[in-house]
Amino acid sequence: MITRRGEAWWSRAIRRGTGIVVIDVGGMVVGYATFGPNRARNLVQRGEIYEIYIRPEYQGVGLGTRLFLAARRELLRHGFDSAVVWALAENEGACRFYKNAGGRKVARGSERFGDKTLAKVAFAFARG
């Protein structure tokens, strides 16, 4: 995902004011999180973590937790006292991660990826 996004995507995200935190290991970005205002108007949470991604070879060592907490701190610093994050319903690892982090399921939706429509779940987080 990191290299697939490409330079144009990263430049556009930065120009639009999307918050970004990265994890750098030896000069290589091995993970990132993007965040900003909540895009789902039907949800009351003010902030949203749009994406968290860790290269597979760096997963399972706590970097996802570090990115999640850093994104939450940045959202709070910018006045977003609550947050939501969406996960694909079939991604059991992500759903378990957000539930274990204190998230509660507050909505369901779907997202189109090419010719597929996949179910997704929103997890809400209160201040902190």
Side-chain angles (χ1 to χ4, degrees):
M1 283 293 290
I2 293 170
T3 53
R4 201 169 89 192
R5 287 289 187 211
E7 186 177 324
W9 185 90
W10 289 101
S11 294
R12 226 178 8 262
I14 292 166
R15 276 194 315 274
R16 283 190 306 234
T18 300
I20 301 171
V21 290
V22 300
I23 292 186
D24 174 297
V25 174
M28 179 175 73
V29 174
V30 300
Y32 70 90
T34 59
F35 54 90
N38 181 3
R39 299 170 292 183
R41 294 182 183 163
N42 61 325
L43 297 176
V44 299
Q45 290 74 30
R46 297 190 56 220
E48 180 179 353
I49 297 174
Y50 306 137
E51 293 182 287
I52 294 180
Y53 179 77
I54 306 283
R55 289 182 186 270
E57 62 270 30
Y58 289 90
Q59 293 176 2
V61 296
L63 298 180
T65 299
R66 292 180 94 171
L67 281 172
F68 176 76
L69 293 174
R72 294 281 319 275
R73 278 191 305 273
E74 286 299 305
L75 284 168
L76 189 57
R77 191 171 73 81
H78 286 91
F80 299 110
D81 59 355
S82 57
V84 65
V85 61
W86 291 87
L88 293 176
E90 68 183 29
N91 186 339
E92 293 174 9
C95 291
R96 186 174 42 255
F97 175 85
Y98 295 124
K99 183 179 178 192
N100 289 343
R104 60 182 175 80
K105 291 180 185 177
V106 294
R108 294 189 154 283
S110 62
E111 191 155 336
R112 194 136 176 86
F113 295 92
D115 61 347
K116 288 185 179 181
T117 300
L118 301 176
K120 61 183 184 176
V121 179
F123 291 86
F125 297 86
R127 181 182 175 99

